[in-house]
Amino acid sequence: MIIKCSFSIFALLALFLIQFQLGTSLKKPPVEVSKQSSAVNLNENFAQFFNFGHGRLLGAITWVVTLIEGDIEHYNKKDSNSWMFYRFKSISIYDPLFYENYLYGGQYLSIVKDDISGASYIYEKGIEKYSSDFWLNYHAGFHFYFEAKDLDRALKSYNAIENMEDAVKRFPNLPTILAKLRVEKNSPEEAFIGLKKAYENLPKESYLRKRFHSTLYSIKAKTDLKCLNEKRTGCSKTDFDGIPYIIKKGSFVSQKSLSPIYVNRK
């Protein structure tokens, strides 16, 4: 009986030593779970109705935690949105006036996460609260045109800041971009008028005025030449510099080369 008991103890010790040796010598493969799969996001109804009057505090806490946990993993699925979108959306419910949530949240979703629909939602919601904010409209305009490929929404954001004080100083290319977007929207006359107004308010020797001149010349020439070559009435026969158009191979052309008048997308 004693021998059997001693053998059992010896066997258990041997098994324990073998298990310990295997446990220390074998390397377990690391288990990696993406933040998209592991992130915890609260239900919208909970965020809206059960914040117990502490929405601003909860919004600030959620913002800080989201920044700490933030990743750079691109979101490529088409079925839903990234985990960060749901965090930013919750913050907008906790504290609808949390400006940074819209400005920086929209940029992060658009540029870092590639969550285009999520960024569009955040920008739209932000502009509902801050419709006349320069930088929010500036970044939203860039997102809607270059990322979301939404020309109408991009024009709406850029139009909102066109006549703001120091708009051209803050965003020197704004008049040119607006003009090119309006041409793309088949509104060359509106494009020409808007850009000419900015052009006339600049010093004559400024570099920006020279750039605007090139775009204005091209917009007017392309509009005039189309009119002339389609043999319509009332067409202008001189370019932006007052130089007459000439005929080559049976068609009216300008005497100067024309620059592209569309915005280069990615």
Short mmCIF file of all heavy atoms in Angstrom, two decimals, residues 114-137:
data_model
loop_
_atom_site.label_atom_id
_atom_site.label_comp_id
_atom_site.label_asym_id
_atom_site.label_seq_id
_atom_site.Cartn_x
_atom_site.Cartn_y
_atom_site.Cartn_z
N ASP A 114 -10.06 55.78 -43.04
CA ASP A 114 -10.73 55.55 -44.34
C ASP A 114 -12.20 55.17 -44.16
O ASP A 114 -12.76 54.43 -44.98
CB ASP A 114 -10.01 54.45 -45.14
CG ASP A 114 -8.74 54.96 -45.79
OD1 ASP A 114 -8.64 56.19 -45.98
OD2 ASP A 114 -7.86 54.15 -46.11
N ASP A 115 -12.81 55.65 -43.10
CA ASP A 115 -14.24 55.42 -42.87
C ASP A 115 -14.97 56.63 -43.46
O ASP A 115 -15.31 57.58 -42.76
CB ASP A 115 -14.50 55.28 -41.38
CG ASP A 115 -15.95 54.90 -41.07
OD1 ASP A 115 -16.78 54.94 -42.00
OD2 ASP A 115 -16.23 54.56 -39.91
N ILE A 116 -15.20 56.59 -44.76
CA ILE A 116 -15.71 57.76 -45.47
C ILE A 116 -17.14 58.10 -45.05
O ILE A 116 -17.46 59.27 -44.79
CB ILE A 116 -15.64 57.52 -46.99
CG1 ILE A 116 -14.21 57.16 -47.42
CG2 ILE A 116 -16.11 58.76 -47.74
CD1 ILE A 116 -13.16 58.14 -46.98
N SER A 117 -18.00 57.09 -44.96
CA SER A 117 -19.39 57.37 -44.57
C SER A 117 -19.45 57.86 -43.13
O SER A 117 -20.26 58.74 -42.79
CB SER A 117 -20.26 56.13 -44.76
OG SER A 117 -19.83 55.07 -43.91
N GLY A 118 -18.59 57.30 -42.26
CA GLY A 118 -18.57 57.75 -40.87
C GLY A 118 -18.11 59.19 -40.76
O GLY A 118 -18.68 59.98 -40.00
N ALA A 119 -17.06 59.55 -41.50
CA ALA A 119 -16.57 60.92 -41.49
C ALA A 119 -17.64 61.88 -42.01
O ALA A 119 -17.82 62.98 -41.48
CB ALA A 119 -15.30 61.03 -42.32
N SER A 120 -18.33 61.48 -43.06
CA SER A 120 -19.39 62.33 -43.63
C SER A 120 -20.46 62.61 -42.58
O SER A 120 -20.94 63.75 -42.44
CB SER A 120 -20.01 61.65 -44.85
OG SER A 120 -19.07 61.49 -45.88
N TYR A 121 -20.84 61.59 -41.84
CA TYR A 121 -21.86 61.74 -40.80
C TYR A 121 -21.39 62.73 -39.72
O TYR A 121 -22.14 63.63 -39.32
CB TYR A 121 -22.17 60.38 -40.17
CG TYR A 121 -23.17 60.44 -39.04
CD1 TYR A 121 -24.53 60.27 -39.28
CD2 TYR A 121 -22.76 60.68 -37.72
CE1 TYR A 121 -25.45 60.34 -38.24
CE2 TYR A 121 -23.67 60.75 -36.68
CZ TYR A 121 -25.01 60.58 -36.95
OH TYR A 121 -25.93 60.65 -35.93
N ILE A 122 -20.16 62.56 -39.26
CA ILE A 122 -19.64 63.42 -38.19
C ILE A 122 -19.52 64.87 -38.68
O ILE A 122 -19.89 65.81 -37.96
CB ILE A 122 -18.28 62.90 -37.70
CG1 ILE A 122 -18.45 61.53 -37.01
CG2 ILE A 122 -17.62 63.90 -36.75
CD1 ILE A 122 -19.33 61.55 -35.78
N TYR A 123 -19.02 65.07 -39.90
CA TYR A 123 -18.92 66.43 -40.44
C TYR A 123 -20.31 67.07 -40.58
O TYR A 123 -20.51 68.24 -40.22
CB TYR A 123 -18.22 66.42 -41.79
CG TYR A 123 -16.72 66.44 -41.71
CD1 TYR A 123 -15.95 65.50 -42.40
CD2 TYR A 123 -16.04 67.41 -40.97
CE1 TYR A 123 -14.56 65.51 -42.34
CE2 TYR A 123 -14.65 67.43 -40.90
CZ TYR A 123 -13.92 66.48 -41.59
OH TYR A 123 -12.55 66.50 -41.53
N GLU A 124 -21.26 66.32 -41.10
CA GLU A 124 -22.62 66.84 -41.27
C GLU A 124 -23.21 67.27 -39.93
O GLU A 124 -23.81 68.34 -39.81
CB GLU A 124 -23.52 65.78 -41.91
CG GLU A 124 -23.24 65.50 -43.37
CD GLU A 124 -23.91 66.50 -44.29
OE1 GLU A 124 -24.37 67.55 -43.80
OE2 GLU A 124 -23.96 66.23 -45.50
N LYS A 125 -23.02 66.41 -38.93
CA LYS A 125 -23.58 66.71 -37.61
C LYS A 125 -22.88 67.93 -36.99
O LYS A 125 -23.52 68.74 -36.32
CB LYS A 125 -23.44 65.49 -36.71
CG LYS A 125 -24.42 65.49 -35.54
CD LYS A 125 -24.57 64.13 -34.92
CE LYS A 125 -25.65 64.16 -33.85
NZ LYS A 125 -25.78 62.85 -33.17
N GLY A 126 -21.57 68.03 -37.23
CA GLY A 126 -20.84 69.18 -36.70
C GLY A 126 -21.27 70.49 -37.34
O GLY A 126 -21.42 71.51 -36.66
N ILE A 127 -21.48 70.46 -38.64
CA ILE A 127 -21.87 71.68 -39.36
C ILE A 127 -23.29 72.10 -39.00
O ILE A 127 -23.64 73.28 -39.08
CB ILE A 127 -21.69 71.48 -40.88
CG1 ILE A 127 -20.18 71.43 -41.20
CG2 ILE A 127 -22.35 72.59 -41.68
CD1 ILE A 127 -19.86 71.06 -42.61
N GLU A 128 -24.11 71.15 -38.55
CA GLU A 128 -25.44 71.52 -38.05
C GLU A 128 -25.31 72.44 -36.84
O GLU A 128 -26.14 73.34 -36.65
CB GLU A 128 -26.22 70.26 -37.65
CG GLU A 128 -26.76 69.46 -38.83
CD GLU A 128 -27.50 68.22 -38.36
OE1 GLU A 128 -27.74 68.10 -37.13
OE2 GLU A 128 -27.82 67.38 -39.21
N LYS A 129 -24.29 72.21 -36.04
CA LYS A 129 -24.09 73.01 -34.82
C LYS A 129 -23.21 74.23 -35.06
O LYS A 129 -23.36 75.26 -34.40
CB LYS A 129 -23.45 72.15 -33.73
CG LYS A 129 -24.25 70.91 -33.35
CD LYS A 129 -25.61 71.26 -32.79
CE LYS A 129 -26.37 70.02 -32.40
NZ LYS A 129 -27.75 70.35 -31.89
N TYR A 130 -22.26 74.11 -35.99
CA TYR A 130 -21.30 75.18 -36.25
C TYR A 130 -21.27 75.48 -37.75
O TYR A 130 -20.25 75.31 -38.41
CB TYR A 130 -19.91 74.76 -35.75
CG TYR A 130 -19.84 74.49 -34.27
CD1 TYR A 130 -19.92 73.19 -33.78
CD2 TYR A 130 -19.72 75.54 -33.36
CE1 TYR A 130 -19.86 72.94 -32.41
CE2 TYR A 130 -19.66 75.30 -31.99
CZ TYR A 130 -19.74 73.99 -31.53
OH TYR A 130 -19.69 73.76 -30.18
N SER A 131 -22.38 75.95 -38.27
CA SER A 131 -22.53 76.13 -39.71
C SER A 131 -21.60 77.19 -40.29
O SER A 131 -21.26 77.15 -41.47
CB SER A 131 -23.98 76.49 -40.05
OG SER A 131 -24.35 77.69 -39.39
N SER A 132 -21.16 78.15 -39.46
CA SER A 132 -20.32 79.23 -39.97
C SER A 132 -18.88 79.12 -39.50
O SER A 132 -18.13 80.09 -39.59
CB SER A 132 -20.90 80.59 -39.56
OG SER A 132 -20.98 80.69 -38.15
N ASP A 133 -18.49 77.96 -39.01
CA ASP A 133 -17.11 77.79 -38.56
C ASP A 133 -16.19 77.57 -39.76
O ASP A 133 -16.45 76.69 -40.60
CB ASP A 133 -17.01 76.59 -37.60
CG ASP A 133 -15.60 76.41 -37.07
OD1 ASP A 133 -15.22 77.14 -36.14
OD2 ASP A 133 -14.86 75.55 -37.60
N PHE A 134 -15.12 78.34 -39.84
CA PHE A 134 -14.24 78.28 -41.00
C PHE A 134 -13.56 76.93 -41.13
O PHE A 134 -13.64 76.29 -42.18
CB PHE A 134 -13.17 79.38 -40.91
CG PHE A 134 -12.20 79.35 -42.07
CD1 PHE A 134 -12.50 80.02 -43.24
CD2 PHE A 134 -11.02 78.63 -42.00
CE1 PHE A 134 -11.62 79.98 -44.33
CE2 PHE A 134 -10.13 78.58 -43.07
CZ PHE A 134 -10.44 79.26 -44.24
N TRP A 135 -12.86 76.46 -40.08
CA TRP A 135 -12.04 75.26 -40.21
C TRP A 135 -12.88 74.00 -40.35
O TRP A 135 -12.48 73.05 -41.05
CB TRP A 135 -11.08 75.15 -39.02
CG TRP A 135 -10.03 76.20 -39.08
CD1 TRP A 135 -9.83 77.24 -38.23
CD2 TRP A 135 -9.02 76.34 -40.10
NE1 TRP A 135 -8.77 78.02 -38.64
CE2 TRP A 135 -8.25 77.49 -39.78
CE3 TRP A 135 -8.69 75.62 -41.25
CZ2 TRP A 135 -7.18 77.92 -40.57
CZ3 TRP A 135 -7.63 76.05 -42.03
CH2 TRP A 135 -6.88 77.17 -41.69
N LEU A 136 -14.04 73.97 -39.74
CA LEU A 136 -14.90 72.80 -39.89
C LEU A 136 -15.40 72.69 -41.33
O LEU A 136 -15.38 71.61 -41.93
CB LEU A 136 -16.08 72.89 -38.92
CG LEU A 136 -16.94 71.63 -38.75
CD1 LEU A 136 -16.09 70.43 -38.35
CD2 LEU A 136 -18.03 71.87 -37.72
N ASN A 137 -15.80 73.81 -41.91
CA ASN A 137 -16.23 73.80 -43.31
C ASN A 137 -15.06 73.55 -44.25
O ASN A 137 -15.22 72.88 -45.28
CB ASN A 137 -16.91 75.13 -43.65
CG ASN A 137 -18.36 75.16 -43.25
OD1 ASN A 137 -19.19 74.47 -43.82
ND2 ASN A 137 -18.67 75.96 -42.24
#
